[in-house]
Amino acid sequence: MKTSRQVQGDIYRLLRNSGLARAINGDVYRHGMRPRDSRKEDAVVVFTAGTSGQVQDGVVTVNIYVPDIDPRDDGSMVEDTRRTEELEGAADEWARGLQAPGYLFRLADAIHTAAEPSIAQHFVVVRIRWRYGENASY
């Protein structure tokens, strides 16, 4: 059986050593570890849900932050849609290729971008459904 921290750590390591991590200009963090004032494209791995048993399953969420831009130079911050679209595509490719011993992975729902207006950033949301165990299947 895996604990929440072990599952989070496994996804964290898979992400940290990936092309997606190289595509962002920031770093990869576990939930709660991203610097508050970061203005970089950082990825944050969050254990969202999990069950116990011989075959465990759950969801891990990866949020990729993208600072908003001021295209008109008037202080009106907006989503950097070009960049979030690029990262949505890179995240989709990464998620669809995920493999690790004992695990099965698939996307839990469509990759999308959400707003975080309090920090003038948007973030790409990647929800990964995972199963772990000797007889795991989808």
Side-chain angles (χ1 to χ4, degrees), residues 37-94:
D37 58 351
S38 179
R39 296 294 301 160
K40 293 189 175 190
E41 296 171 351
D42 296 318
V44 178
V45 179
V46 181
F47 180 88
T48 307
T51 64
S52 65
Q54 285 186 331
V55 176
Q56 297 175 266
D57 70 353
V59 175
V60 168
T61 304
V62 175
N63 294 323
I64 305 167
Y65 289 83
V66 178
D68 288 349
I69 57 173
D70 184 1
R72 292 177 291 286
D73 237 3
D74 65 357
S76 299
M77 303 300 282
V78 297
E79 175 185 354
D80 185 346
T81 54
R82 179 195 59 79
R83 190 62 179 141
T84 54
E85 184 176 351
E86 287 174 2
L87 290 176
E88 282 186 7
D92 183 66
E93 185 177 322
W94 170 75

Side-chain angles (χ1 to χ4, degrees), residues 8 12 43 45 62 66 87-88 91 97 105-107 116 132 138:
Q8 181 190 51
Y12 169 84
V45 179
V62 175
V66 178
L87 290 176
E88 282 186 7
F105 298 108
R106 69 177 179 170
L107 285 170
E116 186 58 70
Y132 180 80
Y138 278 117

Side-chain angles (χ1 to χ4, degrees), residues 76-138:
S76 299
M77 303 300 282
V78 297
E79 175 185 354
D80 185 346
T81 54
R82 179 195 59 79
R83 190 62 179 141
T84 54
E85 184 176 351
E86 287 174 2
L87 290 176
E88 282 186 7
D92 183 66
E93 185 177 322
W94 170 75
R96 291 182 190 280
L98 275 177
Q99 294 181 353
Y103 280 101
L104 293 175
F105 298 108
R106 69 177 179 170
L107 285 170
D109 47 42
I111 294 173
H112 62 280
T113 299
E116 186 58 70
S118 65
I119 59 173
Q121 295 182 30
H122 279 71
F123 58 97
V124 174
V125 180
V126 185
R127 290 176 33 90
I128 299 163
R129 177 156 297 285
W130 58 270
R131 282 212 170 155
Y132 180 80
E134 191 173 311
N135 298 317
S137 64
Y138 278 117

